[in-house]
């Protein structure tokens, strides 16, 4: 049994030993592999950092490729060498048997030496121990002998390092390829070689050199090392040229000898040299500009290294070129294909000249000593064109009205960069007849001019309503390209009809009324606000901060109101000027407008301004008593302002009505004139009847409008309680309407469509007469309106004067009181006078709105008198008799002053009540002359139709009867006129003769006595009428102009800066550029200056 | 034509009447131009008797005894007078003559005064009297001119309102070649010269001849005033009422209504009628100073 047991034991222990050996090999293998992975990782990292071509790559590569397998083998060998003996295994086994120390080892040792020991020990004991040991070994788990912890640790270590390696290789760019690949392949890699093309080479200065490097044995990009002269070398990166390992770099614009070589890691190509040849170069240009004579610019010589040319078109350029080396010949080549040879003036200097005709470029070609041609860089030729002149018509506006004197003032600003030659006006009244007129021929090289030319349109013999179309044209003095011109847009000037003038003025005055109404509203709001402030101060004896701030704004409001009033005043002044120019006969109306203007000027009361200033000062100092006192002063002046504004508005309304009426009168007269023209055309044989029919229809439409206007005027007159006028206007409107002039016109236009008959002629003349009659009736109605209105107002003023006289007497009594009276009784009397005067003052104010004869000062005087009465009343009430009497006396004096002013007004009104004023009389005479002319024409027509027996047909007799009635109307009108001109004894005699002659003609007509004598007398009447008009007009009205500072329009060569205000931004820029052109800037800067000016202009916008 | 001939007839009647009265006034005793001219002598200090005479003459003037005052002033003119005495004598003499009804004598004094006087006050007083003389003597154009000059030269004069009243009257009533106006001015002169009966006669003729003259309402009003002054209150009221009936549009209607009311209240002691007249003024002329006055007087009446 013992040997078997021992064998079993040994077998078991051998098995354990094998297990231990395997585990040891595994453990050491894990350790080696972990180390190898780590080494690979580190090596790859080193290569990545140092570069695949670095020296380390091959070392590390060798280590990795050869060292790491060795490491693994060594680890296995080491593990195998360290396999334990059976005794060691037995001892290790015993450690697994707690409490049975040495059982297995002793069994093994006893079993092996059983024979030897059997002599000393019992065999059985030995066998039993061995058997026990064998049994124990049978039961043992040898796995407990394995170094499980270490195996786990290194397994994890290997896993980590392998993972790190894998991650590094696949995740880090360049780690796998080329670093790792270079690492592992380096021990087996071939040797790197570089081939460089073109090697040594010679080029012209400034040329480029392309260098190609072919790399063998490496996939990496080589670099090109470049060095030139004393400059430090630098590297050029090379770009792959293809996939075969060729790389390219370009050495650009080489101007000096340059060395280069290729490098790839430690590998370098040989060094090569690029030699540079130097061509002949231009070292200097000497340019001389000879400008065209007309420009007036002086010759200019410029020395420069750049051959760019810039000059005015037509300039002769002389060019001298200096080269750096000798050249055999040279020339200029232009981009348009042209060429100019340069003449040799030395070994290196050549020159030539040409004339600038346009923009372009040029190069200088030079042939060197060896015959090689060299071209200079391209140079710019900038040819400046002479600019188009500048022309601005400052005034009149594009659509202007022709002044009465038929001279249109043309205010012109014109300029050119090198000089102006002439200024013309082209115009036509009919497009078939375009005319031109030279306004001005400018002196040599006049560059700028501001001038006013009074363009006389008298030769055109325009009629009211006719339009002249015109434009201005200015030429410059360009002798190279030919004079250039600038033109204004087409503009028109119209000879307005007086009817239009009045209609326009009426519209203007409607606007002025609206403006004044706005100002009045504002003034009323201001007053209300100040009253609130005043109340607050009285109640609280203080002023809130907000209120103070609000009051500080009052000045602005006042200023705004003041500006508004100024504006209206200016507009009214313009109306006066227009009336003066177009219709001098209407000076009465002009005077009325002037009165309103003066009233508005008076409203700009310095007292009010002072009061506001005081208020501002008091506000600044926050002095309540001062504020209160300033407010009181302000209230007085403000009240006057309000009343004045109210009155101005009412007076302007009255003026508007007068203007409307006057417009109607003029419109009727215009229509009569048009009808007369139609009549004249009918008399001529070559008139186109259908055209005349159209004209007749047009006249009908205008008359229809006039009728509507008359209806409106009648309504307005009724509203203004001018019943008589309203009725007259209604009657006139009816006379136009059904069965009246409109029907006659319609009939005439129908007849014109068929044929020209004597009946048609008579009808047209009847229409003309009817229209003249209408104009006269309107004129009459106008006078009647004025008289009616004036009579009413005079009556009102007189009544007020009577009341004031009563009050004045009462006030006088009070002022003369002896002092014996009781103060309270005096107070009662004063109160009654004060109240009575207030009532009269209110009435007078209402009356003053209807008349121009009362001045604003009258109201102011009355206000002062009332103030004194108030003071007297307060004094009497408080028992201060002396002060009361004193104030009472001043009030009495004030009342007398008012009475005096009213008396003057009343007398003026009385004087003006003669039915019509001088101006109106003259106007009426003019209208009657028209009517007389119409009567004369019709009479002559009738006379020519008399048969041989000198008899008239029945219808002709009817016509003559109507003419007699018209003649009577004219006579009566003339009687009225002679009454109006009653104080003109020189004219009066003639007028009376005219009236007598008219009476005679009328009697002849009534008795159907139509003969040569009647016609002759009618001619004489007409002639005398015209003479009388002329006489009155010459003596009375030529000097009847409102004084105004004289206007001067001198021509100026150089416009002052003020003129710039008249120009727009674009025009200013244009003018500035023209001016700068003339300035002596270097050519190169000129464009910059122009750009700068444009930029300024943009900024200004 | 018919109207024209009546008009001419009436004009002639008034003219004749005017001339008759003027001639009669011319016959009244008074100074001749020569006597006045020769009596003006100046001296440095007046004698005591001159002062006494001056006082006496003034007293007579103020008591309305113009004939006597005229005689005394004429006598004074022959004495040595200071400038101020001279001025007073000339002015008072001129007015006395005028109030006596001796227009020509008054005018002579006025002419002399214009030559002698040089101070503003004196010229002002004499200028006013000259205007009055011209107006009373029917020389309307000259009166207008004189009054206008007065207003222009003496704007501060207390007589300005009187002058303006005259001017207004003349402006308003220049119809029919001013014949009615001249008659009216003559009536006013007669009343001024304390000849109310003659004044009434002239006014009657005027109203009869020119019933529709512009001045007719003034004539009626003046008639009323004269009658009131003569204490014929009923007659005065009748004239005032007549004015209202005949010329309801006249500016004098409220004035006469107030006068009538005053007469009722003060002279006739008929407060109801007076109140009724005041109320009429208030109702019919509400927007006038007369209404204001009527309201005050009515209040006083009802106290």
């Amino acid at each position: 049994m013992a040997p078997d047991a021992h064998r079993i034991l040994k077998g078991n222990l051998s098995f354990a030993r094998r297990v231990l050996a395997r585990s040891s090999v595994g453990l050491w293998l894990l350790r080696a592999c972990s180390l190898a992975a780590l080494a690979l990782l580190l090596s790859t990292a080193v290569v990545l950092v140092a570069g695949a071509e670095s020296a380390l790559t091959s070392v590390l590569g060798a280590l990795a490729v050869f060292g790491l397998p060795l490491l693994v083998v060594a680890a296995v060998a080491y593990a195998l060498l360290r396999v334990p003996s059976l005794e060691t295994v037995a001892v290790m086994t015993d450690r697994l048997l707690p409490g049975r120390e040495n059982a297995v080892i002793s069994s093994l040792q006893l079993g092996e030496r059983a024979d030897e020991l059997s002599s000393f020990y019992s065999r059985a004991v030995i066998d039993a121990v061995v058997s026990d040991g064998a049994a124990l070994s049978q039961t043992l788990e040898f796995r407990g002998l394995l170094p499980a912890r270490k195996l786990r640790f290194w397994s994890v270590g290997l896993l980590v390092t392998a993972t790190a390696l894998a991650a590094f290789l696949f995740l880090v760019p360049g780690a796998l390829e080329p670093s790792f690949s270079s690492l592992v392949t380096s021990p087996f890699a071939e040797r790197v070689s570089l081939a460089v093309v073109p090697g040594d080479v010679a080029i012209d200065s400034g040329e480029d050199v392309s260098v190609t490097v072919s790399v063998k044995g490496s996939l990496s990009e080589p670099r090109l090392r470049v060095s030139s002269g004393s400059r430090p070398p630098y590297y050029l990166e090379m770009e792959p040229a293809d996939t075969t390992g060729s790389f390219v770099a370009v050495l650009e614009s080489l101007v000096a000898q340059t060395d280069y070589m290729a490098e790839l890691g430690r590998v370098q190509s040989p060094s090569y040299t690029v030699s540079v040849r130097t061509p002949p170069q231009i070292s200097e240009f000497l340019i001389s500009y000879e400008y065209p004579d007309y420009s007036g610019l002086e010759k200019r010589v410029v020395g420069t290294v750049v051959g760019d040319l810039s000059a005015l078109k037509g300039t002769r350029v002389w060019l001298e070129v200096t080269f750096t080396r000798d050249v055999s010949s040279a020339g200029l080549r232009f981009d348009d294909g042209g060429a100019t040879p340069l003449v040799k003036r030395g070994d290196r200097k050549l020159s030539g000249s040409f004339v600038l005709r346009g923009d372009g470029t040029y190069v200088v070609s030079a042939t060197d000593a060896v015959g090689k041609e060299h071209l200079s860089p391209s140079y710019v030729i900038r040819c400046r064109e002479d600019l188009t002149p500048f022309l601005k018509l400052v005034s009149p506006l594009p659509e202007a009205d022709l002044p009465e004197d038929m001279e249109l003032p043309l205010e012109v600003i014109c300029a050119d960069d090198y000089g102006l030659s002439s200024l013309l006006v082209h115009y036509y009244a009919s497009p078939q007849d375009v005319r031109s007129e030279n306004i001005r021929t400018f002196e040599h090289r006049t560059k700028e001019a501001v001038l006013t030319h009074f363009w006389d349109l008298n030769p055109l013999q325009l009629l009211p309503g006719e339009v002249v179309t015109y434009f201005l044209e200015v030429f410059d003095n360009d002798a190279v390209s030919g004079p250039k011109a600038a033109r204004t847009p087409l503009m028109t000037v119209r000879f307005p009809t007086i009817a239009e003038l009045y209609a326009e003025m009426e519209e203007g005055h409607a606007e002025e009324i609206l403006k004044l109404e706005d100002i009045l509203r504002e003034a009323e709001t201001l007053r209300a606000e100040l009253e609130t402030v005043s109340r607050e101060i009285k109640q609280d004896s203080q002023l809130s901060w907000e209120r103070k701030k609000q009051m500080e704004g009052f000045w602005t409001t006042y200023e705004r109101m003041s500006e508004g009033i100024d504006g209206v005043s200016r507009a009214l002044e313009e109306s006066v000027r227009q009336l003066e120019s177009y219709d001098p006969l209407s000076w009465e109306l002009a005077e009325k407008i002037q009165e309103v203007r003066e009233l508005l000027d008076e409203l700009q009361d310095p007292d009010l301004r002072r009061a506001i200033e005081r208020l501002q000062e008091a506000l600044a100092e926050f002095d309540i008593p001062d504020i209160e006192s300033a407010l009181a002063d302000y209230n007085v002046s403000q009240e006057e302002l309000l009343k004045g504004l109210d009155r101005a508005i009412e007076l302007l309304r009255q003026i508007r009505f007068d203007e409307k009426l006057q417009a109607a009168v003029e419109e009727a007269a215009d229509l009569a004139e048009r009808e007369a023209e139609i009549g004249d055309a009918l008399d001529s044989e070559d008139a186109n009847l259908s055209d005349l029919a159209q004209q007749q229809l047009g006249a009908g439409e205008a008359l229809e409008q006039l009728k509507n206007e008359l209806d409106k005027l009648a309504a307005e007159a009724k509203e203004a309680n001018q019943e008589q006028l309203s009725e007259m206007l209604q009657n006139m409107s009816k006379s136009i309407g059904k069965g009246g002039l409109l029907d006659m016109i319609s009939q005439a236009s129908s007849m014109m469509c068929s044929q020209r008959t004597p009946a048609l002629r008579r009808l047209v003349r009847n229409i003309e007469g009817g229209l003249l009659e209408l104009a006269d009736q309107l004129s009459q109605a106008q006078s009647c309106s004025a008289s009616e209105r004036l009579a009413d107002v005079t009556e009102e003023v007189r009544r007020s004067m009577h009341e004031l006289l009563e009050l004045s007497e009462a006030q006088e009594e009070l002022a003369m009181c002896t002092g014996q009276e009781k103060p309270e009784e005096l107070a009662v009397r004063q109160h009654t006078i004060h109240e009575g005067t207030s009532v009269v003052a209110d009435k007078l104010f209402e009356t003053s709105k209807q008349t121009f004869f009362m001045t604003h000062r009258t109201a102011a005087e009355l206000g002062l008198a009332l103030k004194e009465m108030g003071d007297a009343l307060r004094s009497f009430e408080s028992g201060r008799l002396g002060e009361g009497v004193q104030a009472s006396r001043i009030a009495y004096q004030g009342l007398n002053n008012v009475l005096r002013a009213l008396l003057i007004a009343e007398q003026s009104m009385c004087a003006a009540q003669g039915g019509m004023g001088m101006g109106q009389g003259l106007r009426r005479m003019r209208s009657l002359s028209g009517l007389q002319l119409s009567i004369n024409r019709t009479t002559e027509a009738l006379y020519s139709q008399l048969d041989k027996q000198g008899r008239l047909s029945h219808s002709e007799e009817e016509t003559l009867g109507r003419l007699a009635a018209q003649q009577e109307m004219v006579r009566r009108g003339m009687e009225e006129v002679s009454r109006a001109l009653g104080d003109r004894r020189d004219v009066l005699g003639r007028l009376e003769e005219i009236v007598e002659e008219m009476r005679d003609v009328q009697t002849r007509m009534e008795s159907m006595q139509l003969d040569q004598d009647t016609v002759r007398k009618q001619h004489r009447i007409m002639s005398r009428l015209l003479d009388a008009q002329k006489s009155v007009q010459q003596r009375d009205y030529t000097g009847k102009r409102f004084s105004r500072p004289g206007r001067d329009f001198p021509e100026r060569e150089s416009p002052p800066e003020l003129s710039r205000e008249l120009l727009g931004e674009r025009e200013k820029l244009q003018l500035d550029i023209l001016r700068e052109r003339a300035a002596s800037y270097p050519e190169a800067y000129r464009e910059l200056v122009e750009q700068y000016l444009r930029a300024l202009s943009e900024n200004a916008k | 034509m018919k109207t024209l001939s009546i008009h001419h007839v009436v004009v002639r009647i008034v003219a004749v009447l005017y001339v008759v009265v003027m001639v009669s006034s011319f016959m009244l005793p008074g100074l001749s131009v020569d006597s006045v001219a020769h009596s003006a002598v100046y001296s440095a200090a007046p004698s005591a008797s001159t002062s006494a005479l001056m006082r006496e003459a003034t007293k007579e003037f103020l008591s309305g005894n113009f004939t006597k005052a005229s005689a005394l002033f004429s006598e004074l003119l022959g004495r040595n007078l200071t400038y101020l005495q001279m001025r007073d004598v000339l002015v008072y003499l001129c007015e006395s003559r005028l109030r006596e009804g001796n227009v020509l004598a008054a005018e002579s004094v006025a002419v002399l005064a214009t030559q002698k006087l040089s101070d503003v006050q004196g010229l002002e007083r004499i200028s006013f009297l000259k205007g009055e003389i011209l107006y009373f003597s029917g020389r309307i154009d000259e009166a207008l001119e004189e009054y206008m000059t007065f207003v222009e030269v003496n704007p501060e004069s207390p007589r300005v309102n009187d002058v303006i009243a005259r001017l207004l009257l003349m402006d308003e009533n220049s119809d029919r070649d001013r014949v009615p106006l001249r008659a009216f001015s003559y009536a006013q002169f007669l009343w001024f010269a304390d000849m109310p009966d003659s004044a009434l006669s002239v006014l009657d003729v005027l109203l009869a001849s020119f019933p529709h003259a512009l001045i007719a309402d003034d004539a009626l009003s003046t008639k009323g005033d004269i009658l009131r002054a003569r204490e014929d209150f009923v007659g005065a009221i009748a004239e005032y009422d007549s004015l209202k009936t005949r010329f309801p549009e006249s500016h004098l209607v409220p004035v006469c209504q107030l006068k009538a009311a005053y007469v009722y209240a003060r002279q006739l002691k008929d407060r109801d009628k007076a109140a009724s007249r005041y109320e009429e003024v208030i109702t019919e002329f509400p927007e006038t100073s007369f209404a204001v006055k009527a309201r005050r007087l009515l209040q006083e009446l009802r106290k």
Side-chain angles (χ1 to χ4, degrees), chain A residues 790-802:
Chain A
L790 200 57
D792 289 348
V793 173
T794 311
E795 184 55 29
E796 288 295 325
V797 171
R798 282 175 177 167
R799 282 177 183 271
S800 296
M801 282 181 78
H802 284 295

Side-chain angles (χ1 to χ4, degrees), chain A residues 1052-1088:
Chain A
R1052 305 187 294 273
E1053 290 304 324
S1054 177
E1057 278 310 297
L1058 188 63
S1059 308
R1060 292 179 66 84
E1061 290 171 14
L1062 306 169
L1063 305 176
E1065 286 304 323
R1066 197 184 173 78
E1067 291 162 342
K1068 281 181 194 165
L1069 171 69
Q1070 214 180 334
L1071 194 60
D1072 284 343
I1073 289 174
L1074 285 171
R1075 285 177 178 173
E1076 294 310 324
R1077 275 287 176 105
S1080 57
Y1081 284 110
E1083 293 295 334
Y1085 295 131
R1086 197 169 296 284
E1087 193 164 341
L1088 283 177

Side-chain angles (χ1 to χ4, degrees), chain A residues 379-400:
Chain A
Y379 298 110
V380 175
I381 301 173
R382 200 170 289 115
C383 180
R384 279 190 297 109
E385 292 284 346
D386 182 339
L387 294 180
T388 306
F390 170 82
L391 176 62
K392 166 90 179 176
L393 183 62
V394 178
S395 125
L397 293 172
E399 288 174 6

Side-chain angles (χ1 to χ4, degrees), chain A residues 727-977:
Chain A
E727 205 181 315
M728 285 171 91
L729 290 169
Q730 276 171 355
N731 290 339
M732 280 181 240
S733 172
K734 276 180 198 159
S735 77
I736 296 172
K738 208 172 178 183
L741 282 168
L742 279 173
D743 285 351
M744 286 164 80
I745 286 178
S746 165
Q747 194 189 344
S749 57
S750 310
M751 286 167 80
M752 281 170 195
C753 294
S754 54
Q755 59 179 356
R756 187 183 285 110
T757 59
L760 174 60
R761 288 195 183 107
R762 270 203 304 278
L763 181 60
V764 169
R765 291 295 176 201
N766 285 349
I767 295 168
E768 185 198 339
L771 285 168
L772 284 165
E773 215 173 300
L774 177 68
D776 188 58
Q777 282 170 359
L778 274 167
S779 187
Q780 225 173 329
Q782 206 180 8
S783 311
C784 167
S785 154
S787 302
E788 196 183 351
R789 202 159 51 194
L790 200 57
D792 289 348
V793 173
T794 311
E795 184 55 29
E796 288 295 325
V797 171
R798 282 175 177 167
R799 282 177 183 271
S800 296
M801 282 181 78
H802 284 295
E803 285 189 57
L804 281 178
L805 280 166
E806 292 273 336
L807 291 162
S808 168
E809 275 170 28
Q811 190 66 56
E812 187 181 6
E813 278 175 30
L814 207 58
M816 300 299 163
C817 72
T818 55
Q820 303 300 314
E821 297 87 346
K822 289 179 186 168
E824 49 274 25
E825 190 194 317
L826 294 175
V828 170
R829 281 163 65 189
Q830 184 61 74
H831 178 72
T832 311
I833 299 167
H834 183 262
E835 212 180 322
T837 311
S838 300
V839 171
V840 180
D842 290 345
K843 270 198 292 190
L844 273 175
F845 174 63
E846 288 305 314
T847 311
S848 74
K849 289 181 188 173
Q850 301 166 47
T851 182
F852 293 86
F853 289 100
M854 284 169 67
T855 64
H856 184 58
R857 279 287 110 201
T858 314
E861 283 278 3
L862 202 48
L864 286 175
L866 277 167
K867 187 176 171 291
E868 290 300 331
M869 285 177 195
D871 290 350
L873 178 61
R874 277 187 290 280
S875 299
F876 288 136
E877 278 172 345
S878 55
R880 288 175 280 124
L881 214 60
E883 284 177 32
V885 170
Q886 184 60 30
S888 194
R889 280 186 189 146
I890 300 173
Y892 164 62
Q893 193 57 55
L895 276 180
N896 282 354
N897 289 343
V898 174
L899 277 167
R900 274 195 308 122
L902 287 176
L903 180 76
I904 293 166
E906 188 263 348
Q907 289 185 337
S908 308
M909 285 188 268
C910 282
Q913 268 188 44
M916 63 181 96
M918 290 284 269
Q920 275 177 325
L922 202 52
R923 195 186 292 282
R924 184 85 195 280
M925 211 190 320
R926 199 175 61 180
S927 126
L928 290 171
S929 305
L931 194 50
Q932 183 65 50
L933 187 64
S934 165
I935 295 170
N936 290 6
R937 281 175 178 158
T938 318
T939 313
E940 277 177 55
L942 281 179
Y943 179 66
S944 65
Q945 285 162 24
L946 280 175
D947 60 16
K948 285 176 184 171
Q949 284 77 38
R951 283 177 307 198
L952 290 165
S953 68
H954 181 64
S955 67
E956 286 167 345
E957 277 182 359
E958 270 182 10
T959 307
L960 192 60
R962 191 180 50 75
L963 287 177
Q966 280 188 346
Q967 188 64 70
E968 187 187 356
M969 201 179 90
V970 175
R971 179 183 59 78
R972 286 191 179 164
M974 280 312 296
E975 281 170 355
E976 281 176 35
V977 170

Side-chain angles (χ1 to χ4, degrees), chain A residues 207-272:
Chain A
E207 282 184 1
D208 298 339
V209 175
S210 174
V211 178
T212 307
V213 176
S214 301
V215 180
K216 280 189 181 168
S218 175
L219 295 171
S220 299
E221 293 166 8
R223 294 187 300 171
L224 202 62
R225 185 177 186 275
V226 184
S227 59
S228 174
S230 58
R231 288 175 60 193
Y234 61 93
Y235 285 91
L236 284 178
E237 295 298 329
M238 303 195 79
E239 299 290 328
D242 50 33
T243 53
T244 61
S246 293
F247 296 89
V248 174
V250 178
L251 299 172
E252 290 176 343
S253 308
L254 295 178
V255 291
Q257 183 175 309
T258 304
D259 296 324
Y260 70 98
M261 64 164 70
E263 283 185 8
L264 182 60
R266 288 167 300 156
V267 181
Q268 290 183 334
S269 72
S271 176
Y272 301 101

Side-chain angles (χ1 to χ4, degrees), chain B residues 45 71 188 193 273 299:
Chain B
Q188 279 190 311
K273 281 195 176 163
Q299 270 179 357

